[in-house]
Every structure is written in C-alpha cells, then in structure tokens.
C-alpha cells in the first residue's frame, strides 16, 4: 500500500515565445499554451509506478493555481493519478515560501508515504518548493532524484552533482523532487483521457499572502550582438581561430 | 554592523572553486549595502584546505563549522548549523551558490528562517536600502527584477556569472564545533565521473555535440577538440543525443539539462532548439558549426561556420593544438 501525493504546476509550454504584458512585470498570456511542468511529469510517473509496484494505494495530484489549472490536473489524471485537488488562487505566488505554505497545509496529516515534486518549475526556475514543503512538514527530503530504489521504508536515491553522482539514503515517509532521467513518463492514452473526466477533482479556494519578493520588472534579455558567419567549410577555420583570439579574446 | 553571510562549499576537505564566486557576490552586495562585512562559512569535518584564501576575494572572516558527520554533504546537519548561525547572527543576507548542493541546501535553510530563496540570480544590487536581484526566468527568455524584502534575504548565485574578483580583506579564520542530531538523509558516496572529466556546469570552455554527429562513436571528434584545450574544456550534449543514449544526462545542456555560462561555447551539429538555447544563451562567446546555414543556432552564435562538422572540427582541433602546443 503506497499513498502518494504529487504536487504539479501549470506552466507555459517550453516552446513559448515570451511577450511582456502591459504592466511590464508579467508574461503576456495571450496565445500562450500551458502544460504540465515537464519535471512534474517525472514525478507523476514515479508516483504511478510506485503505486503499481505496491499493488494498492493512491496517487493524488495537487496544484495551486488559477481555475485553468484544472486542465493540468486532468492531464495527470489521464496519466493514471486517482484524484486531484486544485488550490484555486487568482495567481501563483512569486514567493516560493507562500506556495510552499499553502501546499504544506493541504498535505499535512495526509498520511503520505511519499510526496513528490518536480526539481523545478520551468517558468520560475525556483527549484525550492519541494524542500520548503519538506521542512515545513518536518519530513526527510532528497532533491533532484535521477534514480530511485525503495525497499520497505528505506530508499536509496541518486542525484547528479558536479563531476559525479551522489548516492543518498533516506527513510520513508519522505519528500522527493524528480529530475530528468528518473523515468520515461507515459503519454495519456485515449482510455485514460476518457477516464480522467470522471475522476474526482476537488476545488478549494485559497488566499496566498503577498510574500517578501516583489516583482519590479520583467524584461526581455538583451539581444545577443548580431553574430557573423565566418565562412564555409574547413577553409574558414583559420579565420575563426583568429577571431576567437584577436576579437573575442577567448583563446 | 551589517553583515552578509556567504555559504562556501567543500568536497573532500578542499574548498570548491565556486566558493570564490559566492564570496565575490557577497562582497558586491556588502559594498552596495554600504561598508557591510562579509562572513564566509563552510561546513566540514575538519580544517578546509585554503579556506582562509577567500579573504583575498573579500571575506572579512571565515568560519568553519565542524561536526564529525560533515565530511560529506549532510543535508539536514548543514541546514541546521547554517540556519542557527543565520538566526543568531542577525545577517542582512545569506548567499549560497546555485550549485547542485546549494540548490538543495538553500531552500532547507530558507524554510528554517521562514523565507523563500531568491534563486539562481545573475545580479544583485541595493536600491533605497532594499536588496534587488535579477534572475533569468522562462528558460532565460526573460529577466525578472525583484525586490527581496525577506529578513534575512536568502540568495543563490548562478554559477559562472559572479566572476571572482580579488578584494583583499582580513580573512581571519575561526573554527566552531557544532552539535547536530544524526541526519535522516545520509549521503553514502559520490560516484565520481571518470578521472579527468570536467563537469559542463563548471567548465570555462564547452564543446557540445548534437544529432549532427550521426552516431555515438563520432563523439570522438568532439572529445579530441575538448582535449586540445588542455583540460579546460568539457564535452556537452543536446537532449536529442542524451535521449538516444549516446551521452550521459550529466552532459545535457538546456532546459531539462544544465544551465551553463562558459567563456566559450562551441555547438557542433546542434540545431539550436529553444530548449537548448535556454541552457547556453548566456555563454560569453558562442560558436556554431552546422551544415544548415538556416539553423537557429546561428541566430545566437557570435561566430558561425557553415559546413560539414566532420571536416571542420578536426581542422579546428589541429589549430587549437598548435596554439596550446
Ligand atoms: C520540455 C522539453 C525540454 C527539452 N529540453 C532540452 C534540453 O535540455 N536540451 C536540449 O538540447 N534539447 C531539449 N529539448 C529538445 C529540443 O527541442 C530539440 O529536440 C533538441 O535540442 C535537438 O537536438 P539536436 O540539435 O542535437 O538535434 P537536431 O535538431 O536534429 O539538429 C541536428 C543538427 O545537426 C546538423 N547537422 C547534421 N549533420 C551535420 C554535419 N555533418 N555537419 C554539421 N552539421 C550537421 C543539422 O543541420 C541540424 O541542425 C527539449 C524539448 C522539450 C519539449
Ligand atoms: N503552484 C504550484 N502548485 C503545485 N505544485 C507546485 C507549484 N509551484 C511549484 N510546485 C511544485 O514544486 C516544484 C518546484 O517548483 P519551483 O520551486 O517553483 O521551481 C514543481 O516542480 C512542482 O512540483
């Protein structure tokens, strides 16, 4: 029996061309396609596999976000999660601690064996909500897990560090955040998509606090200076090396 | 006196180089705050080689927090020791590297302090007394400027951005033994990458290969070029070749791989998909080698060579060898 919660975030699809909104502080969402955060796909997949392995249990997915995040939850339900909870707010806080507090309040007393997160959201690049929630709940935590073995209530995880792989042991219940490589997420099959429509999705309104991080501006990065094509084929190499030495001064 | 706490990193009792970047960033913040001091702290089982050397990058004081369990990274023990020090010391800010360990440690400490992390920042300034950070979001497609009102502000610095600057300070050293309960989460070992392989996240020069290499064995031409730089270059990869199993995920650059900012990034047989650019567009100089003159990689490249990589790269390797020969 494995009781697993997975926190998932609705994010702009990774192909999104960023346009800045009129307020100069946020993304212009017109025409933007949203998706389940790719790292959270690994987390959902891992949850499903752990439950399948245990034979019985539950995979619940929890998202904090606007009403439209119901779609994100349906995606996870279509992959095979059992039920969803939307903590509905007008906006997702910029301050990760605000998000973590709301998620922790929902997860507290859930009796989870595992609480899974993505290692980071591809929109805010914050890589913190998982370990923040773990601290708030007082649970052991391993981040950026790329390989996982669980035997009873003991787990061994591997995570990439500079120049090697760190092998980490931990007891369950635990909070883990998923890195790419942990597994190959399944695509929702048509049957799953149909079934997802009938799965329970509870909506609970929440009020995120203002937090201590205030956005001043969102801007496009400075354009890279127009580059040049040095030439074609091996004949251009001498000139390339000269430019790298004399102009760019990197050799 | 206002103080900024800089959290350094050691492995096997030796200070990691990224520590110099953390001290440099902390010094920049301390100066912007107006004659604040920088205290550097490192968790270790015993003395850390060359720790006092961070004085030359602007640390007024360096404190080694020792515990028998601190030889390897001890997530819970480190977090407790640093959070306690941060709480008692009244620091204005706590600065971490956004390294693999820093990304794990910073949020643990932040949670104990009841604040969020301003993560992976590329710049820090002070405006009217408030700490203002800049951080890339949406995979580097936008820059977010934000005021951090948290007390203390917990920041993590993107690697390879805060180039170490010599700023000699006293660098007085002190060792403090700390008590922490045994951790539940225990690092057993670090399975090291083969000797001599440099991690893309830390390399000053990166040669990345993509699907244009055609087959895994052909990565030899990339490795030869990397070698020609005499140990300063790492081999990177696009996701296409990582997913195909040609290269390890550790080598992947991009949105679902590593974010890198080397001095020189050479993309070979890589088309330049938006998710790849996300990981390398802040490189100082980008070179692209691709047979398709319309490949998007040329849009971000400072220098491009159009043509067959199997002719161009070996020639480039020869030229680089001559320079370093
Ligand atoms: C959610 C998500 C996350 C992703 N994350 C990442 C990521 O982290 N990193 C990443 O890289 N990608 C990522 N991708 C994948 C990305 O979209 C591209 O599919 C991938 O980067 C393509 O890899 P490539 O450039 O090696 O291959 P291709 O796009 O196939 O390009 C190969 C290039 O080689 C050139 N070529 C072929 N033969 C030769 C020759 N003989 N000489 C010279 N040039 C030659 C071709 O002209 C072509 O431009 C992600 C995608 C998604 C959806
Ligand atoms: N609004 C949210 N709702 C649910 N889960 C979230 C939310 N924001 C972040 N997370 C989870 O926390 C992980 C890390 O996010 P971040 O710290 O924002 O990079 C994500 O991969 C999700 O698993």
């Amino acid at each position: 029996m494995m009781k697993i919660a997975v926190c998932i975030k609705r994010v702009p699809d990774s192909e999104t061309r960023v346009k800045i909104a009129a307020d100069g502080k946020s993304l212009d969402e017109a025409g933007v396609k949203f998706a389940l955060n790719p790292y959270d796909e690994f987390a959902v997949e891992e949850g499903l596999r752990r439950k399948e392995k245990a034979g019985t249990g539950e995979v619940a997915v929890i998202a904090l976000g606007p009403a439209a995040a119901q779609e994100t939850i349906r995606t996870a339900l279509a992959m095979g999660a059992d039920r969803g909870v939307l903590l509905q707010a007008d906006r997702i806080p910029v301050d990760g601690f605000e998000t973590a507090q709301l998620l922790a309040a929902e997860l507290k007393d859930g009796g989870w064996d595992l609480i899974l997160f993505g290692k980071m959201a591809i929109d805010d690049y914050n890589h913190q909500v998982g370990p923040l929630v773990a601290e708030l709940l007082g649970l052991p935590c391993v981040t950026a897990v790329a390989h996982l073995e669980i035997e009873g209530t003991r787990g061994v995880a591997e995570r990439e560090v500079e120049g090697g792989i760190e092998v980490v042991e931990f007891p369950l219940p635990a909070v883990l955040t998923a890195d790419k490589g942990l597994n190959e997420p399944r695509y929702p099959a048509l049957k799953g998509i149909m079934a997802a429509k009938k799965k329970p999705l509870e909506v609970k309104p929440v009020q995120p606090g203002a937090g201590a991080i205030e956005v001043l501006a969102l801007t496009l990065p400075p354009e890279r200076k127009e580059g040049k094509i040095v030439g074609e084929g091996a004949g251009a190499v001498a000139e390339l090396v000269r430019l790298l030495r004399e102009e760019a001064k990197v050799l | 006196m206002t103080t900024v706490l800089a959290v350094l990193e050691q492995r096997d009792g030796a200070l990691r180089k990224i520590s110099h970047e953390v001290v440099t960033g902390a010094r920049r913040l301390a100066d912007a705050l107006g004659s604040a001091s920088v205290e550097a702290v490192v968790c270790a089982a015993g003395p850390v080689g060359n720790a006092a050397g961070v004085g030359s990058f602007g640390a007024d004081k360096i404190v080694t927090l020792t515990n028998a369990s601190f030889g390897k990274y001890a997530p819970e023990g480190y977090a407790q020791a640093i959070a306690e020090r941060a709480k008692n010391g009244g620091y204005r800010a706590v600065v971490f590297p956004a390294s693999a360990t820093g990304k794990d440690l910073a949020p643990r400490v932040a949670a104990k302090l009841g604040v969020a992390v301003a993560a992976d920042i590329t710049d820090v300034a002070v405006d009217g007394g408030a700490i203002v950070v800049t951080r890339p979001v949406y995979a580097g497609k936008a820059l977010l400027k934000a005021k951090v009102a948290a007390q203390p502000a917990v920041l993590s610095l993107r690697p390879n951005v805060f180039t170490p600057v010599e700023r000699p300070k006293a660098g007085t050293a002190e060792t403090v033994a700390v008590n922490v309960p045994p951790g539940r989460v225990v690092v057993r070992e670090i399975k090291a990458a083969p000797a001599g392989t440099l991690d893309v996240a830390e390399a000053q020069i990166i040669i990345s290969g993509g699907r244009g290499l055609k087959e895994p064995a052909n990565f030899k031409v990339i490795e030869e070029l990397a070698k020609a730089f005499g140990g300063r270059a790492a081999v990177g990869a696009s996701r296409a070749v990582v997913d195909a199993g040609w290269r390890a995920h550790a080598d992947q650059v991009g949105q679902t791989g590593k974010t890198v900012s080397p001095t020189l990034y050479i993309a070979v047989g890589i088309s330049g998909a938006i998710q790849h650019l996300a990981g390398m567009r802040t490189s100082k100089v980008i070179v692209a080698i691709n047979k398709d003159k319309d490949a998007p990689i040329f849009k971000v490249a400072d220098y491009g060579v159009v043509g067959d990589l199997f002719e161009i790269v070996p020639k480039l390797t020869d030229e680089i060898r001559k320079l370093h020969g």
Side-chain angles (χ1 to χ4, degrees), chain A residues 15 61 64 71 84 135 164 172 176 179 191 200-201 239:
Chain A
E15 297 277 350
V61 293
L64 163 67
E71 263 175 68
E135 284 289 337
L172 270 60
L176 304 176
D179 198 354
K191 204 168 129 227
L201 196 172
E239 174 64 1

Side-chain angles (χ1 to χ4, degrees), chain A residues 7-9 37 40 62-64 92 99 103 117-121 124-130:
Chain A
C7 291
I8 59 171
K9 186 178 185 189
N37 182 37
D40 302 354
I62 301 164
L64 163 67
I92 295 177
T99 300
L103 290 174
F117 291 81
K119 92 166 168 182
M120 67 165 193
D124 63 23
Y125 268 53
N126 260 336
H127 48 70
Q128 59 186 271
V129 172

Side-chain angles (χ1 to χ4, degrees), chain A residues 5-21:
Chain A
V6 189
C7 291
I8 59 171
K9 186 178 185 189
R10 171 185 186 261
V11 298
D13 179 271
S14 73
E15 297 277 350
T16 304
R17 308 268 154 198
V18 167
K19 265 180 59 195
I20 311 294

Side-chain angles (χ1 to χ4, degrees), chain A residues 16 124 143 165 224 247, chain B residues 104 135 141 191 281 303-304:
Chain A
T16 304
D124 63 23
T143 63
I165 307 246
R224 286 192 73 93
E247 191 175 88
Chain B
D104 186 88
R135 44 190 309 273
K141 287 179 269 183
K191 294 196 267 186
R281 63 178 309 144
Y303 304 106

Side-chain angles (χ1 to χ4, degrees), chain A residues 17-41:
Chain A
R17 308 268 154 198
V18 167
K19 265 180 59 195
I20 311 294
D23 68 359
K25 294 180 182 183
S26 56
L27 176 72
D28 178 354
E29 294 191 359
V32 171
K33 237 177 55 195
F34 284 83
L36 171 57
N37 182 37
Y39 289 102
D40 302 354
E41 289 180 13

Side-chain angles (χ1 to χ4, degrees), chain A residues 33-82:
Chain A
K33 237 177 55 195
F34 284 83
L36 171 57
N37 182 37
Y39 289 102
D40 302 354
E41 289 180 13
F42 300 117
V44 172
E45 177 64 34
E46 197 59 28
L48 297 174
R49 290 190 190 187
R50 293 292 151 190
K51 178 189 138 185
E52 284 158 12
K53 195 148 177 244
T56 59
E58 177 188 43
V59 176
V61 293
I62 301 164
L64 163 67
Q70 289 195 32
E71 263 175 68
T72 317
I73 293 178
R74 293 284 175 209
T75 306
L77 296 178
M79 287 173 73
D82 300 298

Side-chain angles (χ1 to χ4, degrees), chain A residues 57-118:
Chain A
E58 177 188 43
V59 176
V61 293
I62 301 164
L64 163 67
Q70 289 195 32
E71 263 175 68
T72 317
I73 293 178
R74 293 284 175 209
T75 306
L77 296 178
M79 287 173 73
D82 300 298
R83 65 180 178 93
V85 178
L86 172 62
L87 304 179
Q88 191 173 326
D90 300 341
R91 46 169 200 94
I92 295 177
V94 210
D95 182 310
F97 194 66
E98 294 296 329
T99 300
Q101 282 176 299
L102 292 166
L103 290 174
E106 175 62 27
L107 290 161
K108 190 164 64 78
D109 307 325
W112 309 106
D113 297 296
L114 282 176
I115 303 177
L116 304 176
F117 291 81

